[in-house]
Amino acid sequence: MPFKPLGHPNPSGDLVTGTEIHDHLNQHGFDCRLISSLRCRWLYYRPHSWPQLLRERHRLSNINSSFKPDLWLTYHSYYKAPDLLGPHCARRLNIPYIIFQGIYSTKRRKKINTIAGFYLNRWSLLRSDLIFTNKKRDEKNLLRILPENRICYIAPGIHSGQFSFCEQSRKKQRKQWGVSDDPVILTAAMFRPGVKTAGILKVLESCGELAKDGIRFRLVIAGDGHCKNEIEAAAKKILPGQVIFCGKMPREEMFRLYSAADIFAFPGIEESLGMVYLEAQSCGLPIIAYSNWGGGEAVVHDQTGLLSPAELPGDFTRNIKILITNKPLRLRLGKQAAKHIRDNHELQRGYGLLCEKLHEIRRNSGTALPSVRSKN
């Protein structure tokens, strides 16, 4: 996991996905091990870390005596964190090399600060036996450098049973917030510098415009981080007395917030996917997001939410207004959202295909993996 290894203290959608892959494989007949905790994020610009990379390459090239792996699986290789271990070690071990969520973006070769990462990542992608991708946009880009039979699309997914509407949580949470009939808009993200904070500020800005028009609602913000003071100051200025901060919520408790809200709004600027979109929809919330990035991957416009291009920020505000003022529409979209997740984004189904493909690669490489253990 060159971007962020298992157990990293800073939560993110990427860490959730990588952890779920690791756990699913180990629960379904595989012996999947995190073989290195080396982070490759911007490593090519950190010469003091290069000796560590070389030591890891040497160590992992000699693990056959103790582990005897059948496959090498890397999760998430892109220009910021290219896989600098997998291609070399898989070749030395003479085993297939597989990537889950390999990303190819040619615009990265046009900037001096990303060109090195672009070519290192491209080198890794070209040496893979198979790349799994959970985004249609990435699949399209990968087809520019790899044949179709070396790319496999798996729809992003969640355990929908962990994110279901709970009427009891709705009543309890809304009572705690002091909210009765006013629609509740929920947004959630880590308060990190950059696009996450920019996304929350955009929600605040849009809600501020609606409040000036006399539209009644409450805004709930879940998250924490370095930009907390900046966001709280903006909320106090733009929406005094109308914003509730919940702090950082454990993922397994987020269903309570989703159940208590009426709309989930987050633009998702440069968001690779946005697991919150899947989670919120699973709990029956309609989504307001930009169509350019992760929102367009996870949300169906006019069926499970309302999408708008980032180039037209006013439409984001307009879409929030539509759902605040049109209760029948938001209820219909929310109901369709929950069904959409269960029909198209169930984690077990997607990772079942992952297991099948890994067995197939192993068989084609010479010998077969043990049969998958059935779970009682």
Side-chain angles (χ1 to χ4, degrees):
M1 299 174 68
F3 176 65
K4 190 180 289 185
L6 292 174
H8 195 275
N10 295 332
S12 67
D14 290 307
L15 183 59
V16 167
T17 301
T19 302
E20 287 176 338
I21 291 172
H22 170 270
D23 293 349
H24 184 91
L25 291 176
N26 280 319
Q27 291 164 8
H28 290 80
F30 293 80
D31 179 3
C32 181
R33 307 184 191 182
L34 180 68
I35 207 66
S36 174
S37 295
L38 177 72
R39 288 194 78 185
C40 295
R41 190 172 187 272
W42 299 117
L43 188 144
Y44 45 90
Y45 286 139
R46 295 187 282 117
H48 63 278
S49 298
W50 296 352
Q52 183 185 3
L53 169 64
L54 295 176
R55 287 194 297 270
E56 282 293 88
R57 280 188 171 188
H58 177 75
R59 179 180 69 84
L60 297 175
S61 296
N62 293 283
I63 60 172
N64 254 332
S65 59
S66 57
F67 183 23
K68 301 186 185 303
D70 300 295
L71 305 166
W72 180 289
L73 176 62
T74 287
Y75 172 70
H76 199 180
S77 179
Y78 74 131
Y79 77 97
K80 280 187 184 179
D83 183 13
L84 304 178
L85 289 176
H88 172 84
C89 296
R91 180 176 57 83
R92 291 290 299 271
L93 295 168
N94 195 29
I95 57 176
Y97 170 53
I98 302 137
I99 300 174
F100 194 109
Q101 199 171 332
I103 299 175
Y104 182 68
S105 176
T106 54
K107 68 180 181 181
R108 304 302 175 185
R109 69 182 172 193
K110 299 175 183 177
K111 296 182 179 180
I112 190 66
N113 65 320
T114 58
I115 188 172
F118 167 81
Y119 281 107
L120 286 169
N121 182 55
R122 188 175 185 271
W123 174 77
S124 298
L125 299 177
L126 288 172
R127 278 151 184 79
S128 65
D129 293 281
L130 183 68
I131 296 180
F132 293 96
T133 179
N134 58 7
K135 292 185 282 296
K136 287 292 186 180
R137 181 180 59 181
D138 288 340
E139 180 185 30
K140 181 179 179 180
N141 287 335
L142 288 167
L143 285 169
R144 298 164 67 181
I145 59 170
L146 292 171
E148 188 175 350
N149 64 352
R150 287 170 60 189
I151 302 169
C152 180
Y153 173 77
I154 292 179
I158 59 172
H159 292 294
S160 62
Q162 297 175 2
F163 297 95
S164 298
F165 175 78
C166 176
E167 181 65 35
Q168 183 180 359
S169 293
R170 180 177 177 85
K171 292 178 179 178
K172 180 179 179 181
Q173 198 68 64
R174 290 175 76 93
K175 182 178 180 181
Q176 181 180 327
W177 292 337
V179 175
S180 55
D181 296 328
D182 287 346
V184 172
I185 303 166
L186 172 66
T187 192
M190 290 298 294
F191 297 174
R192 290 199 296 263
V195 295
K196 295 288 190 183
T197 292
I200 297 173
L201 293 176
K202 171 56 186 169
V203 174
L204 278 167
E205 176 191 317
S206 294
C207 289
E209 293 179 27
L210 298 178
K212 289 178 181 177
D213 293 337
I215 298 174
R216 293 180 59 85
F217 63 89
R218 295 294 292 275
L219 175 62
V220 174
I221 301 178
D224 200 355
H226 294 298
C227 298
K228 178 180 179 180
N229 291 339
E230 176 187 353
I231 293 171
E232 288 183 342
K236 187 175 181 180
K237 178 180 179 181
I238 298 171
L239 286 170
Q242 284 186 258
V243 181
I244 300 168
F245 284 91
C246 296
K248 181 181 176 182
M249 291 285 290
R251 186 175 183 240
E252 60 271 18
E253 296 294 321
M254 281 297 294
F255 78 93
R256 303 186 190 281
L257 298 188
Y258 296 134
S259 296
D262 299 289
I263 300 165
F264 185 85
F266 186 66
I269 303 166
E270 296 183 8
E271 194 79 53
S272 61
L273 174 63
M275 296 300 289
V276 288
Y277 293 137
L278 301 182
E279 297 168 3
Q281 288 179 97
S282 184
C283 290
L285 280 184
I287 306 296
I288 305 293
Y290 285 156
S291 58
N292 307 60
W293 300 286
E297 292 280 350
V299 182
V300 183
H301 180 59
D302 275 341
Q303 293 185 37
T304 71
L306 299 178
L307 300 174
S308 58
E311 297 79 16
L312 299 173
D315 286 1
F316 182 85
T317 306
R318 178 180 61 83
N319 287 339
I320 296 177
K321 180 179 180 180
I322 289 172
L323 289 192
I324 289 177
T325 57
N326 191 335
K327 184 176 180 179
L329 175 61
R330 71 172 185 257
L331 290 176
R332 177 171 62 83
L333 295 183
K335 183 177 180 180
Q336 292 172 176
K339 184 177 186 300
H340 168 67
I341 297 302
R342 282 152 183 79
D343 289 348
N344 301 288
H345 294 281
E346 191 62 57
L347 192 73
Q348 289 291 117
R349 188 179 304 119
Y351 288 170
L353 176 59
L354 169 66
C355 291
E356 290 176 15
K357 287 291 183 180
L358 293 181
H359 278 283
E360 180 182 326
I361 291 170
R362 182 63 174 89
R363 284 194 299 269
N364 292 340
S365 71
T367 58
L369 279 165
S371 299
V372 175
R373 295 192 301 266
S374 59
K375 292 190 69 185
N376 296 325

